[in-house]
Amino acid sequence: MYIQVRLLKGFSEPLTYEVPQDWGAQNLIGQLVRVPIKTQLRSALVLKQFANLPSNNTFTIRQAHAIEPFPSDPHYTKFITLLSNYYQVESLHFVKRVQQFLVEKEMDEQVAGIEPLEERKKIILTDEQQKAVDFLAPYLENPTFIATVLHGVTGSGKTEVYKQLIEKNFMLHKNSLLLLPEVSLAIQFETLMRSQLRSDIPIFGFHSATPTKQKRLLWHALLTSQPIVIIGVHLPILLPLPNLGLIIIDEEHEIGYQEKKHPKVNSKEAAIWRAHIHNIPILLGSATPSLTSLYNVKTKGWHFFQLKNRFAGQFPKVKTVLLNDKRQRRNFWISKPLEDAMKDRLQKKEQTIIFLNRRGYSFFVQCKNCSFIFSCNNCSVSLTLHSDNKLTCHYCSFCTTVPSQCPACKQGESQFIKKGIGTQQVVSILEKLLPQARIARADMDTTLKKKEWQKTIEDFHAGNLDILVGTQTITKGYHFPNVTLVGVLWADLNLHFPVYNAAETTLQQLIQVAGRAGRQREESLVIIQTMIEHPIFSFLNEIDYVKFFNHEIEKRKEISYPPFIRLVEIELKHMHESTVDNEAIQLMTILLDAYEAINPDMMILGPAKPPVHKIKNTHARKIYIKGSSIQEIIALFHSVNRTRFRSQIFFTPNPVS
Ligand code: ADP
Ligand code: ZN
C-alpha cells in the first residue's frame, strides 16, 4: 500500500511513501502522518492512497513513519472537501490552518470583564424560552439536522436557552459548539459560561486570544472524545469534532462571521453544512435575524421561535429626528430634542450613550475652491483629520500634517471644509453644550489602547461618567443598567455604503444600539437623527423588525440579489495596477465566453474598482457573478486557469461586506 502526501510546511509537490505493513488496511486519506524528509521527520497530510506504484515510477520510495493522533470525526473529510469546493481552495489549506493555529502564540485581546458576574442561579425559564428548549431537546437525543432561528429581542434571555441546551447535550456526552461574531464577544461568553454552566462541563475557547496551553488541552480533549463546549469565532468550525451534538450561532445576522482574509469563509454557512453532515440541530439566535435566515424559515422548512419580551426593563421609545430641520439648534449635529433629553438625563443622574459609526476627528478635508480631497497615496481612501491637525489613513496608518495651502489650487487653509464628524468632535461639541457633564469616548481609536478603553467602560458602568460617545464597539454585549437615553447621531451614514445589503445591516445595527437603552428601566428613549428619510426607520421597533422582511425581500427580488440568487465575488490582486487591470479584463472575457454554455441566465458584472481598491500597495479589482446555482458558478469559474494569471484570484460566495 502507498500514500501520496503533502507536507504541512515546506514544498508543495506531492510526495509518495510506502505504508508500513503493521498499519493494516485502514483508510488514511485526510489523516496526518509523520514522514521522513532527508534526515528529519515532518508532518504531512494524506491526499491519496493506492495499492500499486505507477509503473513509470523512478524514485526510491521510503516508508512513512507514524500516524499522528487525530480526533476521530467520521465526517471531517467530507466537510473539508465541501469547504474546499465552495471556496475554491485546496482542502489542505483548512487542515494547515488549524494545525498552525494550535501552536501559534495568542494575541492580547483581553476585554473589560466589567459585567458583575452573576452567580449560577436557579433559572426558571419563561414560557417562551421553555417552548424553544422543548422543541429542540428531542433532536439532541435523537440527532437530526434541524435549523432553528431564535428571534429574541434584546434582553429576552436567549442565553438561557443556549445554556439549557448545552447542559442537556453534555448530559448526553456530546460536544457543543457556540460561535460568536467576534473575539471580544467569545471571551465574554467564555467567562459567562464558566460561571453559569454546571461546573463539571469543560469549556474551551478557540480563537486568537486563547492561550496556546488551552488550545493543546482542547486538542487533547478532542483526541480522547470527551464531551466539551467550544466557544469561538471562525476557527472552531474547522476542527475535527468527535461527538458533535449541537451548534449554536449567536448574533447570527452579523457580517463578522465572514472572515476578512481570503478564503473568506463564512463560519455561519460552514456551521449549517456541518450540522447537516453530522445530522444534528443548529440554533441561530439574534434580536435581528438576517434576511437570508428568515427567508430560509419561509422557504426551506427552517423553524422559528420568538422571545418577544424582555426579561427585565421595558423597550425604549424610539423617536426619529431629521437633521436638516435646523430649528432652535445650537449645533448642527445635536438636534433640540436630543439636547433637551440629555439635559433631562443629567438632572435625573441617568446616563446617555451617543452612537456614531465613525472614527477620528472628522471625515475628510476638502478644498472649497477646487474640490480637492486629501487622500492616501497608498490606499485610495480619503484621509481622516484628527484634532492634532494630523491627517491619517485608516488602512495603512499613513500620517501627515494638514498643509497650509491646497496642493491643487494653492488656496489657503481657510478654504478647507472639514466635512463629516467623528467621535472626538462629538465630545468637543457636547462639552460646549453641556459643560457640567462628564463625557468620554470609546471607539476604535481608543480601543487600540486597551487599558484606557477598559477604564472608560468601567467608569461608565460605575456611574462616574454621564455620557459615553462611541462606535459599534459599545453596542455589543455590554449592559449598562443606568442608561435611559441613546442618541444616534447620523443614522443614515451607513445606508450610503455601496453594498446591496446596506439597508439590512444599517437597520440591524440601529436596533442593536437602541437595545442598549432601558435594560433595567421602565422608561427610556432612543433618538435617531438622520439626514434623509428612509423606510428602515419605520421598523426600528424590535417586534416590528420581522416586518422589515416583507418590505426588503421584494426589493431584493426586483434587483436580483441574494437570497433570490447566488452572488459570487471574484477578486484579483496584484502590485501593479496595469497588471490587475488587464488581467481583470482577460478574466472577464473568459467568463463571458464560457457562461452561455453552462447557463445563459447567469450574469457577469465588472470588472470594478472596489471602494477601497488599493491597500498596502496592492491593487484590487472585482468581478461579480450572479446565478441560480452555486455549482454552475463554480463550473464557470473552472473555465479560468488561475495559474496563467499573475494576479492572485480569490473566489467568495455570498460576499457580505
Ligand atoms: P439576550 O441575550 O437575549 O439579550 P440575556 O440572555 O442576556 O438576553 O438575558 C438578559 C438578562 O435576563 C440576563 O441577566 C439573564 O440572566 C436574565 N434572564 C433571562 N431569562 C431569565 C429567566 N428565565 N430567569 C431569570 N433570569 C433570566
Ligand atoms: Zn493608506
Side-chain angles (χ1 to χ4, degrees), residues 376 378-379 393 396 398:
C376 174
N378 304 324
C379 303
C393 169
C396 75
F398 168 83

Side-chain angles (χ1 to χ4, degrees), residues 133 142 419 446 590:
V133 172
N142 301 303
K419 270 197 184 171
T446 45
I590 297 172

Side-chain angles (χ1 to χ4, degrees), residues 288-465:
T288 52
S290 64
L291 214 72
T292 302
S293 292
L294 293 175
Y295 184 73
N296 290 342
V297 170
K298 291 250 152 97
T299 61
K300 282 196 190 165
W302 283 23
H303 295 265
F304 184 65
F305 285 86
Q306 271 187 310
L307 309 179
K308 290 188 179 175
N309 300 299
R310 278 191 169 180
F311 191 78
Q314 292 292 319
F315 289 113
K317 261 220 249 28
V318 180
K319 186 172 174 157
T320 310
V321 179
L322 272 178
L323 272 171
N324 48 21
D325 172 14
K326 293 183 195 159
R327 270 174 295 171
Q328 295 181 302
R329 204 172 323 166
R330 290 202 282 156
N331 182 288
F332 178 79
W333 292 106
I334 308 290
S335 64
K336 187 80 169 72
L338 183 57
E339 185 181 338
D340 289 348
M342 283 192 290
K343 280 184 177 152
D344 176 65
R345 293 319 184 269
L346 275 177
Q347 229 164 36
K348 292 190 195 149
K349 306 223 178 311
E350 294 172 359
Q351 290 174 304
T352 299
I353 289 178
I354 299 292
F355 174 79
L356 178 72
N357 198 9
R358 262 286 151 187
R359 49 190 291 210
Y361 184 69
S362 72
F363 251 7
F364 46 82
V365 177
Q366 188 166 29
C367 172
K368 259 187 226 163
N369 188 49
C370 73
S371 304
F372 175 86
I373 292 177
F374 289 93
S375 60
C376 174
N377 291 336
N378 304 324
C379 303
S380 75
V381 290
S382 57
L383 296 170
T384 302
L385 184 67
H386 288 252
S387 64
D388 51 3
N389 216 31
K390 290 259 161 59
L391 286 163
T392 64
C393 169
H394 279 178
Y395 285 98
C396 75
S397 62
F398 168 83
C399 184
T400 182
T401 308
V402 180
S404 57
Q405 55 170 224
C406 173
C409 71
K410 310 295 174 204
Q411 291 281 317
E413 205 177 343
S414 61
Q415 289 298 305
F416 294 168
I417 20 173
K418 300 175 175 181
K419 270 197 184 171
I421 186 162
T423 50
Q424 214 168 315
Q425 194 183 348
V426 176
V427 170
S428 317
I429 294 171
L430 291 177
E431 279 169 350
K432 279 200 200 98
L433 291 181
L434 306 164
Q436 71 280 34
R438 296 163 299 171
I439 305 167
R441 70 182 184 122
D443 63 12
M444 286 301 276
D445 276 359
T446 45
T447 41
L448 289 178
K449 299 169 199 148
K450 296 256 158 54
K451 283 245 162 66
E452 263 175 49
W453 152 265
Q454 190 162 339
K455 175 112 190 7
T456 305
I457 298 287
E458 275 165 11
D459 280 349
F460 191 61
H461 211 268
N464 302 331
L465 291 168

Side-chain angles (χ1 to χ4, degrees), residues 118 121 123-126 129 152-160 163 196 307 311-312 479 519:
E118 293 172 48
K121 57 182 178 190
I123 298 272
I124 297 160
L125 293 187
T126 63
Q129 289 169 327
V153 298
T154 52
S156 60
K158 291 182 287 295
T159 314
E160 299 302 330
K163 276 157 56 182
Q196 297 192 357
L307 309 179
F311 191 78
H479 296 225
R519 280 310 189 101

Side-chain angles (χ1 to χ4, degrees), residues 67-218:
I67 301 177
E68 289 204 359
F70 199 74
S72 68
D73 175 347
H75 307 293
Y76 193 59
T77 308
K78 186 173 176 195
F79 172 67
I80 292 295
T81 309
L82 205 143
L83 271 188
S84 143
N85 179 51
Y86 192 67
Y87 293 103
Q88 293 293 299
V89 284
E90 287 184 282
S91 334
L92 189 69
H93 167 85
F94 301 105
V95 180
K96 259 175 147 171
R97 176 110 195 266
V98 170
Q99 293 301 322
Q100 275 162 9
F101 183 71
L102 278 165
V103 295
E104 249 165 43
K105 235 185 105 49
E106 71 272 13
M107 305 219 296
D108 176 22
E109 265 276 6
Q110 207 60 47
V111 286
I114 43 94
E115 300 291 326
L117 273 179
E118 293 172 48
E119 288 297 301
R120 185 176 150 73
K121 57 182 178 190
K122 182 78 194 131
I123 298 272
I124 297 160
L125 293 187
T126 63
D127 288 349
E128 288 180 323
Q129 289 169 327
Q130 193 65 51
K131 237 174 102 184
V133 172
D134 288 347
F135 172 77
L136 282 162
Y139 299 106
L140 299 175
E141 278 163 45
N142 301 303
T144 313
F145 169 74
I146 187 143
T148 306
V149 174
L150 180 63
H151 174 219
V153 298
T154 52
S156 60
K158 291 182 287 295
T159 314
E160 299 302 330
V161 175
Y162 304 162
K163 276 157 56 182
Q164 289 269 338
L165 292 169
I166 289 172
E167 290 196 346
K168 281 186 196 297
N169 196 42
F170 177 76
M171 298 299 284
L172 297 162
H173 303 285
K174 286 191 284 189
N175 282 331
S176 301
L177 196 57
L178 171 58
L179 299 185
L180 286 308
E182 56 184 69
V183 171
S184 62
L185 287 176
I187 296 171
Q188 282 182 34
F189 261 82
E190 265 176 82
T191 319
L192 184 86
M193 290 295 171
R194 287 209 179 93
S195 72
Q196 297 192 357
L197 285 181
R198 292 168 44 140
S199 56
D200 56 339
I201 304 184
I203 296 161
F204 291 94
F206 196 64
H207 47 71
S208 56
T210 307
T212 321
K213 193 174 155 212
Q214 266 263 336
K215 294 186 222 167
R216 273 198 226 112
L217 287 174
L218 166 65

